[in-house]
Amino acid sequence: MSDNFNLIDPNYYISPLDVSDYEIGFLMKILKKMLLIRFTEECLASNKKEGKIGSPVHLGIGQEAIATAISECLNKEDYIFGNHRSHSHVLSLGTNLQSFFAEILCKSSGLSGGRGGSMHLIDESVGFYGSVPIVAGTVPLAVGAGFTSKLKKNKSISVSYFGDGAIEEGVVHESLNLARINQLPVIFVLENNLFSSHLHISQRQPSPFSSRYSKANDIESFLVDGNNVLELFKCASKIISNCRNKHRPYFIEAVTYRWLGHVDWREDIDVGVSRSKTDIEKWKRRDPIKRLEDSLLNKCLTTKKDLKNIRDELKSYVEESWIKALNASKPNPDSLIDHVYRQ
Ligand SMILES: Cc1ncc(C[n+]2csc(CCOP(=O)(O)OP(=O)(O)O)c2C)c(N)n1
């Protein structure tokens, strides 16, 4: 696919999605998944604002479609790696919501025993092998996991999620090269939300798109609208099947936008961030959830009342899981050095 500059212009790609190729059950499933991620992050945003969360939280509200679509194409045996903004990655794989919240609240029932907070998530039971705050830190780990699949001659693939800031790290280029030269089953997923902390991509790069680096490493790449869950699903299902069967890496660049600032609940008031409320409002018109809901309504596949019921049910589930996590116990201080090494 050639570079499409409309992808970075929020006046484009705001129409409802073409749902004609999909069954209603599937469409509802992915809608609910995106809503669950959205409500979970909204819950974190408001509780962070109220001072109930110690861990910093990097929210990806607006970016839900990417992990939702990719996860639909994965198996339990696959190896998934994230970064500092990984709530959607682990939630879309079906992690336990209460343990997820407990982790962010640093409770002992959390996904990593309350040791990691929001930026060190791990849940091997759903194939999520970890996220770290070191930008690009997990990209070579995903390549290592790809090596494992190759050596074991199994059908597992690995997925590496990273941002447009991470592509500026040398290790990503070494990883792309290693994956290609060894023909490893790795899907590199670049979530291009146009910002690296406070700097817009135009202040950092000669082009807003970074899939050109995959071309330099002879890896086939796809540039897609990261707020179109169906386009992403179509693209991911094809290349993940190729990756699994033909043992070769692929690169997806999904253009998206985060509605909130770099960290915590604020909209646009991170230090030095240069974007206006108007930009954010414009990007909200490309809301991946609304675009899917609008398509379902237009085709009379659902009603406003049904959608409200779905939202209310999911909100109650998020709220209940949050309260349970809030009431969970904290780790015993005597267990401080537990989990440092795997027994
Ligand atoms: C190696 C390293 N360098 C710098 C930082 C500081 N830092 C944290 S997040 C971030 C920006 C990452 O941007 P991107 O990869 O695009 O992800 P996004 O936050 O946009 O999701 C930076 C520079 C870091 N954590 N690690």
PDB file of all heavy atoms in Angstrom, residues 67-82:
ATOM      1  N   ALA A  67      -5.251  -3.168  18.918  1.00  0.00           N
ATOM      2  CA  ALA A  67      -5.074  -4.428  19.653  1.00  0.00           C
ATOM      3  C   ALA A  67      -6.305  -5.316  19.509  1.00  0.00           C
ATOM      4  O   ALA A  67      -6.184  -6.543  19.433  1.00  0.00           O
ATOM      5  CB  ALA A  67      -4.792  -4.136  21.121  1.00  0.00           C
ATOM      6  N   THR A  68      -7.483  -4.704  19.450  1.00  0.00           N
ATOM      7  CA  THR A  68      -8.715  -5.499  19.321  1.00  0.00           C
ATOM      8  C   THR A  68      -8.659  -6.337  18.048  1.00  0.00           C
ATOM      9  O   THR A  68      -8.916  -7.547  18.076  1.00  0.00           O
ATOM     10  CB  THR A  68      -9.947  -4.566  19.291  1.00  0.00           C
ATOM     11  OG1 THR A  68      -9.991  -3.859  20.522  1.00  0.00           O
ATOM     12  CG2 THR A  68     -11.234  -5.341  19.103  1.00  0.00           C
ATOM     13  N   ALA A  69      -8.306  -5.703  16.943  1.00  0.00           N
ATOM     14  CA  ALA A  69      -8.275  -6.428  15.664  1.00  0.00           C
ATOM     15  C   ALA A  69      -7.166  -7.474  15.646  1.00  0.00           C
ATOM     16  O   ALA A  69      -7.382  -8.613  15.223  1.00  0.00           O
ATOM     17  CB  ALA A  69      -8.078  -5.435  14.524  1.00  0.00           C
ATOM     18  N   ILE A  70      -5.983  -7.099  16.109  1.00  0.00           N
ATOM     19  CA  ILE A  70      -4.848  -8.043  16.064  1.00  0.00           C
ATOM     20  C   ILE A  70      -5.162  -9.256  16.940  1.00  0.00           C
ATOM     21  O   ILE A  70      -4.960 -10.401  16.529  1.00  0.00           O
ATOM     22  CB  ILE A  70      -3.544  -7.368  16.580  1.00  0.00           C
ATOM     23  CG1 ILE A  70      -3.221  -6.111  15.784  1.00  0.00           C
ATOM     24  CG2 ILE A  70      -2.376  -8.366  16.624  1.00  0.00           C
ATOM     25  CD1 ILE A  70      -2.466  -6.260  14.529  1.00  0.00           C
ATOM     26  N   SER A  71      -5.667  -9.017  18.142  1.00  0.00           N
ATOM     27  CA  SER A  71      -5.901 -10.129  19.080  1.00  0.00           C
ATOM     28  C   SER A  71      -6.907 -11.125  18.534  1.00  0.00           C
ATOM     29  O   SER A  71      -6.839 -12.314  18.848  1.00  0.00           O
ATOM     30  CB  SER A  71      -6.375  -9.604  20.435  1.00  0.00           C
ATOM     31  OG  SER A  71      -5.340  -8.868  21.022  1.00  0.00           O
ATOM     32  N   GLU A  72      -7.833 -10.654  17.718  1.00  0.00           N
ATOM     33  CA  GLU A  72      -8.820 -11.564  17.118  1.00  0.00           C
ATOM     34  C   GLU A  72      -8.142 -12.611  16.233  1.00  0.00           C
ATOM     35  O   GLU A  72      -8.725 -13.649  15.942  1.00  0.00           O
ATOM     36  CB  GLU A  72      -9.815 -10.772  16.250  1.00  0.00           C
ATOM     37  CG  GLU A  72     -10.961 -10.181  17.011  1.00  0.00           C
ATOM     38  CD  GLU A  72     -11.712 -11.182  17.881  1.00  0.00           C
ATOM     39  OE1 GLU A  72     -12.167 -12.207  17.358  1.00  0.00           O
ATOM     40  OE2 GLU A  72     -11.833 -10.919  19.086  1.00  0.00           O
ATOM     41  N   CYS A  73      -6.928 -12.320  15.767  1.00  0.00           N
ATOM     42  CA  CYS A  73      -6.247 -13.222  14.828  1.00  0.00           C
ATOM     43  C   CYS A  73      -5.218 -14.106  15.523  1.00  0.00           C
ATOM     44  O   CYS A  73      -4.489 -14.844  14.853  1.00  0.00           O
ATOM     45  CB  CYS A  73      -5.532 -12.403  13.744  1.00  0.00           C
ATOM     46  SG  CYS A  73      -6.576 -11.190  12.967  1.00  0.00           S
ATOM     47  N   LEU A  74      -5.109 -14.010  16.845  1.00  0.00           N
ATOM     48  CA  LEU A  74      -4.032 -14.727  17.546  1.00  0.00           C
ATOM     49  C   LEU A  74      -4.519 -15.991  18.232  1.00  0.00           C
ATOM     50  O   LEU A  74      -5.702 -16.148  18.507  1.00  0.00           O
ATOM     51  CB  LEU A  74      -3.389 -13.794  18.586  1.00  0.00           C
ATOM     52  CG  LEU A  74      -2.749 -12.531  18.003  1.00  0.00           C
ATOM     53  CD1 LEU A  74      -2.272 -11.618  19.119  1.00  0.00           C
ATOM     54  CD2 LEU A  74      -1.593 -12.895  17.079  1.00  0.00           C
ATOM     55  N   ASN A  75      -3.564 -16.879  18.542  1.00  0.00           N
ATOM     56  CA  ASN A  75      -3.845 -18.101  19.299  1.00  0.00           C
ATOM     57  C   ASN A  75      -3.246 -17.973  20.692  1.00  0.00           C
ATOM     58  O   ASN A  75      -2.334 -17.179  20.913  1.00  0.00           O
ATOM     59  CB  ASN A  75      -3.167 -19.309  18.645  1.00  0.00           C
ATOM     60  CG  ASN A  75      -3.731 -19.577  17.273  1.00  0.00           C
ATOM     61  OD1 ASN A  75      -4.857 -19.175  16.978  1.00  0.00           O
ATOM     62  ND2 ASN A  75      -2.957 -20.249  16.438  1.00  0.00           N
ATOM     63  N   LYS A  76      -3.688 -18.824  21.577  1.00  0.00           N
ATOM     64  CA  LYS A  76      -3.169 -18.838  22.960  1.00  0.00           C
ATOM     65  C   LYS A  76      -1.664 -19.119  22.986  1.00  0.00           C
ATOM     66  O   LYS A  76      -0.951 -18.719  23.902  1.00  0.00           O
ATOM     67  CB  LYS A  76      -3.890 -19.929  23.775  1.00  0.00           C
ATOM     68  CG  LYS A  76      -5.213 -19.475  24.375  1.00  0.00           C
ATOM     69  CD  LYS A  76      -5.019 -19.117  25.868  1.00  0.00           C
ATOM     70  CE  LYS A  76      -6.016 -18.129  26.404  1.00  0.00           C
ATOM     71  NZ  LYS A  76      -7.399 -18.519  26.332  1.00  0.00           N
ATOM     72  N   GLU A  77      -1.160 -19.823  21.968  1.00  0.00           N
ATOM     73  CA  GLU A  77       0.259 -20.230  21.957  1.00  0.00           C
ATOM     74  C   GLU A  77       1.171 -19.123  21.435  1.00  0.00           C
ATOM     75  O   GLU A  77       2.381 -19.279  21.396  1.00  0.00           O
ATOM     76  CB  GLU A  77       0.471 -21.472  21.062  1.00  0.00           C
ATOM     77  CG  GLU A  77      -0.194 -22.745  21.542  1.00  0.00           C
ATOM     78  CD  GLU A  77      -1.704 -22.727  21.392  1.00  0.00           C
ATOM     79  OE1 GLU A  77      -2.206 -22.100  20.437  1.00  0.00           O
ATOM     80  OE2 GLU A  77      -2.387 -23.321  22.265  1.00  0.00           O
ATOM     81  N   ASP A  78       0.609 -17.994  20.993  1.00  0.00           N
ATOM     82  CA  ASP A  78       1.435 -16.917  20.444  1.00  0.00           C
ATOM     83  C   ASP A  78       2.079 -16.101  21.571  1.00  0.00           C
ATOM     84  O   ASP A  78       1.657 -16.180  22.723  1.00  0.00           O
ATOM     85  CB  ASP A  78       0.586 -16.024  19.528  1.00  0.00           C
ATOM     86  CG  ASP A  78       0.112 -16.772  18.286  1.00  0.00           C
ATOM     87  OD1 ASP A  78       0.818 -17.709  17.858  1.00  0.00           O
ATOM     88  OD2 ASP A  78      -0.959 -16.433  17.755  1.00  0.00           O
ATOM     89  N   TYR A  79       3.112 -15.351  21.196  1.00  0.00           N
ATOM     90  CA  TYR A  79       3.855 -14.554  22.180  1.00  0.00           C
ATOM     91  C   TYR A  79       3.646 -13.070  21.879  1.00  0.00           C
ATOM     92  O   TYR A  79       4.062 -12.583  20.826  1.00  0.00           O
ATOM     93  CB  TYR A  79       5.354 -14.829  22.081  1.00  0.00           C
ATOM     94  CG  TYR A  79       5.753 -16.276  22.132  1.00  0.00           C
ATOM     95  CD1 TYR A  79       6.111 -16.958  20.962  1.00  0.00           C
ATOM     96  CD2 TYR A  79       5.806 -16.972  23.343  1.00  0.00           C
ATOM     97  CE1 TYR A  79       6.508 -18.282  20.997  1.00  0.00           C
ATOM     98  CE2 TYR A  79       6.196 -18.302  23.377  1.00  0.00           C
ATOM     99  CZ  TYR A  79       6.547 -18.950  22.201  1.00  0.00           C
ATOM    100  OH  TYR A  79       6.935 -20.259  22.239  1.00  0.00           O
ATOM    101  N   ILE A  80       3.038 -12.367  22.818  1.00  0.00           N
ATOM    102  CA  ILE A  80       2.711 -10.959  22.568  1.00  0.00           C
ATOM    103  C   ILE A  80       3.532 -10.077  23.519  1.00  0.00           C
ATOM    104  O   ILE A  80       3.620 -10.377  24.712  1.00  0.00           O
ATOM    105  CB  ILE A  80       1.202 -10.672  22.843  1.00  0.00           C
ATOM    106  CG1 ILE A  80       0.297 -11.839  22.412  1.00  0.00           C
ATOM    107  CG2 ILE A  80       0.771  -9.344  22.228  1.00  0.00           C
ATOM    108  CD1 ILE A  80       0.420 -12.293  21.000  1.00  0.00           C
ATOM    109  N   PHE A  81       4.085  -9.014  22.979  1.00  0.00           N
ATOM    110  CA  PHE A  81       4.899  -8.096  23.784  1.00  0.00           C
ATOM    111  C   PHE A  81       4.384  -6.661  23.616  1.00  0.00           C
ATOM    112  O   PHE A  81       4.042  -6.247  22.507  1.00  0.00           O
ATOM    113  CB  PHE A  81       6.363  -8.145  23.339  1.00  0.00           C
ATOM    114  CG  PHE A  81       7.012  -9.480  23.618  1.00  0.00           C
ATOM    115  CD1 PHE A  81       6.883 -10.522  22.710  1.00  0.00           C
ATOM    116  CD2 PHE A  81       7.716  -9.696  24.791  1.00  0.00           C
ATOM    117  CE1 PHE A  81       7.448 -11.761  22.965  1.00  0.00           C
ATOM    118  CE2 PHE A  81       8.291 -10.929  25.054  1.00  0.00           C
ATOM    119  CZ  PHE A  81       8.161 -11.969  24.139  1.00  0.00           C
ATOM    120  N   GLY A  82       4.374  -5.915  24.718  1.00  0.00           N
ATOM    121  CA  GLY A  82       3.852  -4.553  24.657  1.00  0.00           C
ATOM    122  C   GLY A  82       4.875  -3.517  25.094  1.00  0.00           C
ATOM    123  O   GLY A  82       6.086  -3.778  25.120  1.00  0.00           O
TER     124      GLY A  82
END
